[in-house]
Amino acid sequence: MVTMEQVEAFDVAADSTLVFEPGGNHIMLIDVADPLVVDERFPITLRFASGRELEAEAIVATNPPA
């Protein structure tokens, strides 16, 4: 059984990479005003503890088949 748990932040070591992907680490949007459409893309801003911000592109996806 797979469970999900909300976290406030991810620890990412300097000079390392964190990948967001279905079935792994991912961002779940909560209380979205308009319906999302699979494959829709939109900008998001990732904020780091250092104060640095990184613009990224989010892609709306569904859970992969089991």
Side-chain angles (χ1 to χ4, degrees), residues 6-59:
Q6 182 176 345
V7 298
E8 293 297 319
F10 289 96
D11 290 327
V12 183
D15 297 319
S16 67
T17 302
L18 173 66
V19 176
F20 293 107
E21 59 189 355
N25 291 322
H26 62 278
I27 297 172
M28 182 181 295
L29 305 176
I30 300 173
D31 295 328
V32 176
D34 297 317
L36 299 174
V37 177
V38 173
D39 294 328
E40 178 179 11
R41 297 168 183 259
F42 56 90
I44 61 170
T45 302
L46 304 174
R47 292 184 178 91
F48 296 86
S50 66
R52 180 175 177 238
E53 294 186 351
L54 175 68
E55 292 291 322
E57 181 178 60
I59 303 169

